Amino acid sequence: MAGVIQTTVRRSMPASLLLRVRHRSPGLANGLAGGALAAGLGLAAFTVLVMLLWVSSPYPDSGPGGALHVAAALWLLAHGAELVRVDTLSGAPAPMGVPPLLLAVVPVWLLHRAARDTAEGGARDNAPLMPGRTAWAGVVLGYLAVAAPAALYAAGGALRPSWAWTVLCVPLVALVAAGTGVWTAYGRPSGPLEQVLGAVLPRGARHLVLGPDGRPGVAARAAAAGATVLVAGGAVLLAVSLGWHLGETRRTFGRLTEGWSGWLAVLLLCVTLLPNAAVWAAAYALGPGFLLGTGVAVTPLGARAAPLLPPFPLLAAVPDPGAGTGLHGTVVALPLTAGVVVGWFVGRGAVTGGGRFGVWTTGRTAGAAAFAAGLCGGLMALLAGLAGGPLGTAELARFGPVWWQVGLATAVWLGLTAAATALTVRAWRLRRSYRRGERRPDRVVAPRRRPALPRPARKERLPRGTWFRRKPGRSAPVPAPVADEPYLLLDDDGDDRAHGAPGDLRDLRDGTDPFDLRPRPEPLDDLPTPSPPAAPGDTEPRPPA
């Protein structure tokens, strides 16, 4: 059979293996590589910045090794780890635990992107995503595999990391940032948040934090808006105070360093600490203020002098020592504004929230406003805790706002203002809808006994232990084409008959033509006349008559 031509070409074994590898989800190795790359890029960014400042400095105190140790220590400080200075005048180690919030954006963003790209795995169209737990664990382990030697290397410099804070903060930041990246890759499903909220909040308050569609609820949006107003208002207060003390701000630059390289270094340090200063200003407006040392509090009611403070440009914005004046008391407009914003969000949601609750009652609206104020207080307490810390021992052991005081003051200020504003906005929106002649919205009156409501259809849940869902559209089956059904056009349409439609398909089937559009038959004159039937005895055909 030498003349037989082979018409079927089979795919070779290497080609099929390559195709399987191409369509297979990436494994744990990609996660490890992504986490290690994120840590390396973060270290490289801090190293380049520190080396540039070291090269441009006219008085470098140490060699390039010392600059590299400082870069590694600053990278750990950006994660929230506390550092310890060993070369002090007294010889005793002094902690330094005020992390610049702006520097924390670099490792968090790199971790988020690494986890998201690892979970997607370069998948296109309907290719499957990487399992969420595999991507999460791979990125975290790869990141910590680089962070551990970096911490060991930084321990040999003048700024040494505190091992307790390093072991706590660096893995925590890696876990949270990588988790948000995987969550984003899977289309931000509500399953993980529902499980966390189910273990923390009661059933009646869960929908205020997370809506039925997976988006933030009314209270969560209101709390985020209130925290944004407080921090933005604090930045405005900081700018006004710096402009008021402009002369002192300029003099501090000359007292700290000389030359453009030193001024640039101080300016970069001030820029990285601007978010911290904005949170401090917000704490000042809320009432608790902040501490410039043990027992040295700065509040709108008055400020005490702090003789141990170094000349620093941002510290020039601190109010002058003495009792507070009416000008200092105007800062209460900031928490009042934040409370109004929170109340407006809650009041609008009380009318347009929808769901099985309809329009919220006054008690429910006030409770939602108080809950949103509590959430905002928790956010501000977290920011205050991150923005402060120790700058030494003894009198400098407490520096910055006290987190629990800031959280409590935020909840009190915003709780009272937001409740009144929410009730006012609710009444105003309902009154406006009544004036337009709309139907009065249904209210839900709480009965004495719990009514037996029909149980809603249960949603399709993931198996226990599975937190992340696939992105919609990646692995969804392609819908089958629908066959044409011409007979669907012949169904009776009662609506057309009810509205007096002149034409109906039933008339055509009954033989009537309401539009009188049937073609009339032509006369058949040219056709021959058929012959009559032949008799039984006739054998010849008769001629036509």
Side-chain angles (χ1 to χ4, degrees):
M1 301 298 291
V4 177
I5 301 176
Q6 185 178 1
T7 58
T8 302
V9 179
R10 295 183 178 181
R11 183 176 297 170
S12 61
M13 182 63 66
S16 63
L17 289 178
L18 290 177
L19 186 61
R20 291 180 182 180
V21 171
R22 183 180 303 172
H23 290 284
R24 183 177 296 174
S25 299
L28 185 63
N30 284 1
L32 295 173
L37 180 61
L41 289 177
L43 279 170
F46 280 83
T47 302
V48 169
L49 178 62
V50 173
M51 291 300 293
L52 286 177
L53 295 177
W54 176 78
V55 169
S56 61
S57 176
Y59 308 106
D61 295 336
S62 59
L68 292 177
H69 284 90
V70 172
L74 289 180
W75 182 72
L76 295 174
L77 181 64
H79 293 78
E82 189 176 289
L83 303 180
V84 179
R85 293 185 294 113
V86 295
D87 55 345
T88 58
L89 296 178
S90 61
M96 188 178 70
V98 181
L101 294 181
L102 191 60
L103 292 182
V105 177
V106 177
V108 170
W109 181 77
L110 290 174
L111 273 167
H112 178 85
R113 286 295 303 270
R116 190 192 67 180
D117 296 343
T118 302
E120 291 179 350
R124 299 178 180 177
D125 299 334
N126 294 330
L129 296 176
M130 184 187 221
R133 291 184 177 180
T134 305
W136 191 8
V139 172
V140 172
L141 292 177
Y143 195 84
L144 296 181
V146 178
L152 292 175
Y153 179 78
L159 288 175
R160 301 177 180 179
S162 174
W163 292 112
W165 285 98
T166 303
V167 172
L168 175 64
C169 295
V170 177
L172 181 61
V173 171
L175 288 172
V176 174
T180 57
V182 176
W183 182 58
T184 303
Y186 275 76
R188 298 181 180 90
S190 59
L193 297 181
E194 288 178 354
Q195 293 184 12
V196 174
L197 294 178
V200 176
L201 297 177
R203 184 181 301 273
R206 295 175 194 172
H207 75 282
L208 296 175
V209 180
L210 185 66
D213 54 353
R215 297 181 180 180
V218 175
R221 295 195 301 267
T228 303
V229 170
L230 287 175
V231 176
V236 173
L237 291 179
L238 175 65
V240 171
S241 184
L242 286 176
W244 188 270
H245 302 87
L246 186 58
E248 181 65 22
T249 305
R250 290 179 177 178
R251 287 192 294 270
T252 53
F253 275 96
R255 296 171 60 184
L256 277 177
T257 183
E258 296 179 358
W260 65 270
S261 60
W263 296 339
L264 179 61
V266 174
L267 181 61
L268 288 177
L269 182 58
C270 292
V271 170
T272 57
L273 289 173
L274 278 179
N276 300 59
V279 175
W280 288 26
Y284 177 82
L286 287 169
F290 49 88
L291 299 176
L292 296 180
T294 305
V296 183
V298 179
T299 64
L301 299 179
R304 296 181 56 185
L308 298 178
L309 288 180
F312 192 69
L314 291 181
L315 293 179
V318 176
D320 298 331
T325 61
L327 184 61
H328 297 91
T330 57
V331 296
V332 299
L334 178 58
L336 293 178
T337 304
V340 169
V341 171
V342 172
W344 183 81
F345 271 86
V346 175
R348 187 184 63 172
V351 178
T352 61
R356 64 185 182 92
F357 296 101
V359 177
W360 295 356
T361 61
T362 56
R364 185 178 183 81
T365 304
F371 183 69
L375 289 179
C376 187
L379 290 176
M380 292 303 300
L382 178 62
L383 291 177
L386 295 175
L391 281 181
T393 57
E395 295 185 0
L396 292 181
R398 302 183 65 181
F399 205 77
V402 182
W403 64 271
W404 65 269
Q405 294 180 1
V406 174
L408 183 60
T410 303
V412 172
W413 272 105
L414 272 64
L416 298 176
T417 311
T421 306
L423 294 176
T424 304
V425 171
R426 173 187 174 277
W428 175 69
R429 292 179 71 92
L430 289 177
R431 183 180 181 88
R432 190 179 63 174
S433 63
Y434 299 159
R435 287 182 176 180
R436 289 200 303 258
E438 298 179 358
R439 184 179 62 87
R440 184 180 182 89
D442 298 331
R443 294 185 179 181
V444 176
V445 181
R448 295 183 179 179
R449 295 184 179 179
R450 189 173 182 178
L453 298 177
R455 181 173 297 180
R458 298 184 62 182
K459 297 182 180 180
E460 182 180 356
R461 294 187 177 273
L462 295 174
R464 185 176 298 275
T466 302
W467 273 28
F468 299 102
R469 295 181 180 176
R470 303 282 186 181
K471 261 187 177 181
R474 285 195 177 273
S475 58
V478 180
V482 180
D484 295 333
E485 299 182 6
Y487 293 101
L488 293 178
L489 299 177
L490 299 180
D491 295 340
D492 294 338
D493 191 358
D495 295 340
D496 293 341
R497 175 71 64 183
H499 292 286
D504 196 348
L505 296 176
R506 289 182 295 181
D507 298 337
L508 298 178
R509 288 182 290 180
D510 296 340
T512 60
D513 188 5
F515 293 96
D516 198 17
L517 297 179
R518 285 193 174 188
R520 300 181 180 276
E522 298 292 340
L524 304 178
D525 298 337
D526 298 337
L527 297 179
T529 305
S531 60
D538 295 343
T539 57
E540 296 182 359
R542 296 182 180 183

